[in-house]
């Protein structure tokens, strides 16, 4: 005899498969999600790399920038979760879901889980491109496991926040604005250029915002460098974002569908 938890897990699996299949059928989106990580890596290594120094770190630019590009590659697609969930809310798909015996929280959760699977893969493509362009990590197997955990946590946190935004706005155009914020934020961190080279206010913002400790932790893991407190700070930021966003998304979904 099935239990509510088993039924919910089955519903979640079916919604995740539905989202992934939809992505595979959209050819232009599939091409962008595959090519964008490679293009970003080539852009930073070959176009910008010769003109940017890495300050006191003394790293080659490809080694310096890879952690930021991993987050950019996975984060941009994760931010588009806002668009997909907003389209479901406004295109009549939710009315079909409401006729089915599924929990309300399963629908936004399905979008988030599908986003994690899709965009961790995008980060892996960016990493493969980096290796082809000369990136040579010194990570141990345990370090690689932590790298995967950090990238997955980042994509999960952004996907959950994107789901909240997609449930707050009423049009796909407004939902798409979230991706521009996410794509721009790494530039104001210690990921693309050293924060020490920025003017005072921007430097303070870059050091205080959550992407910097995440990037610093990834850089330390990939290059076998001291991590300091960045790992704990990064984990706290990501756990806090997920813990705050997922319940809010579930509440917003129930409120948006209550009057339908």
């Amino acid at each position: 005899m099935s239990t509510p938890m088993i039924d919910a897990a089955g519903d979640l699996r079916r919604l995740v498969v539905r989202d992934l299949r939809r992505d595979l059928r959209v050819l232009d989106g599939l091409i962008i999600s595959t090519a964008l990580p490679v293009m970003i890596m080539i852009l930073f290594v070959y176009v910008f790399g010769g003109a940017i120094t890495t300050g006191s770190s003394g790293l080659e630019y490809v080694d310096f920038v890879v952690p930021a590009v991993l987050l950019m590659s996975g984060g941009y697609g994760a931010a588009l979760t806002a668009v997909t969930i907003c389209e479901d809310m406004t295109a009549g798909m939710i009315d079909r879901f409401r006729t089915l015996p599924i929990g309300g929280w399963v629908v936004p959760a399905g979008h988030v889980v599908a986003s994690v699977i899709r965009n961790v893969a995008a980060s892996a493509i960016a990493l493969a491109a980096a290796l082809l362009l000369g990136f040579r990590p010194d990570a141990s197997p345990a370090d690689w496991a932590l790298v995967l955990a950090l990238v997955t946590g980042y994509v999960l946190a952004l996907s959950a926040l994107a789901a909240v935004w997609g449930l707050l706005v009423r049009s796909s155009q407004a939902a798409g604005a979230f991706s521009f914020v996410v794509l721009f934020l790494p530039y104001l961190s210690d990921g693309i250029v050293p924060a020490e080279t920025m003017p005072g206010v921007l430097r303070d913002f870059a050091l205080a915002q959550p992407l910097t400790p995440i990037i610093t932790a990834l850089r330390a893991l990939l290059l076998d460098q001291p991590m300091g407190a960045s790992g704990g700070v990064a984990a706290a930021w990501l756990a806090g974002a997920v813990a705050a966003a997922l319940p809010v998304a579930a509440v917003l979904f129930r409120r948006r569908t209550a009057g339908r």
Side-chain angles (χ1 to χ4, degrees):
M1 184 175 181
S2 64
T3 66
M5 185 61 69
I6 294 175
D7 291 340
D11 293 336
L12 179 61
R13 178 184 59 81
R14 285 185 283 272
L15 288 175
V16 170
V17 171
R18 171 242 178 192
D19 284 338
L20 294 175
R21 284 179 175 173
R22 180 177 59 181
D23 293 333
L24 291 174
R25 291 168 182 165
V26 181
L27 182 60
D28 55 345
L30 185 61
I31 293 173
I32 290 174
S33 64
T34 304
L36 184 62
V38 178
M39 293 170 61
I40 291 175
M41 188 63 69
I42 292 174
L43 176 68
F44 281 110
V45 173
Y46 285 141
V47 178
F48 298 149
I52 299 176
T53 61
T54 59
S56 60
S57 69
L59 296 173
E60 294 291 333
Y61 189 65
V62 63
D63 297 326
F64 181 85
V65 81
V66 162
V69 176
L70 293 182
L71 298 187
M72 292 174 71
S73 301
Y76 178 73
L80 293 178
T81 304
V83 177
T84 58
I85 197 168
C86 182
E87 289 177 345
D88 271 358
M89 297 300 298
T90 57
M93 182 59 68
I94 297 303
D95 293 328
R96 297 180 61 184
F97 286 150
R98 291 183 71 247
T99 65
L100 303 174
I102 61 176
W105 66 271
V106 175
V107 176
H111 282 281
V112 170
V113 174
S115 173
V116 171
I117 295 171
R118 182 175 61 248
N119 293 299
V120 169
S123 294
I125 293 172
L127 178 60
L131 293 172
L132 292 175
L133 296 177
F135 177 58
R136 295 295 178 263
D138 296 319
S140 67
D143 292 336
W144 279 114
L146 291 174
V147 167
L148 177 61
L150 274 177
V151 172
T152 302
Y154 178 72
V155 173
L156 174 61
L158 271 188
S159 300
L161 292 170
V164 171
W165 179 251
L167 290 166
L168 283 172
V169 299
R170 301 288 174 165
S171 69
S172 58
Q173 290 82 3
F178 187 74
S179 62
F180 290 100
V181 175
V182 169
L183 194 60
F184 182 71
L185 201 57
Y187 291 93
L188 297 178
S189 73
D190 194 47
I192 307 302
V193 298
E196 65 192 44
T197 65
M198 299 179 183
V201 174
L202 288 180
R203 181 178 63 249
D204 293 341
F205 177 82
L207 294 175
Q209 67 130 315
L211 262 68
T212 290
I214 300 171
I215 290 170
T216 302
L218 286 173
R219 194 177 286 138
L221 291 167
L222 289 168
L223 302 177
D224 193 23
Q225 296 180 340
M227 187 183 300
S230 59
V233 175
W237 272 113
L238 296 177
V242 173
L246 287 179
V248 171
V251 170
L252 288 174
F253 182 82
R254 285 197 297 269
R255 290 183 177 178
R256 285 283 301 270
T257 58
R260 288 176 178 265

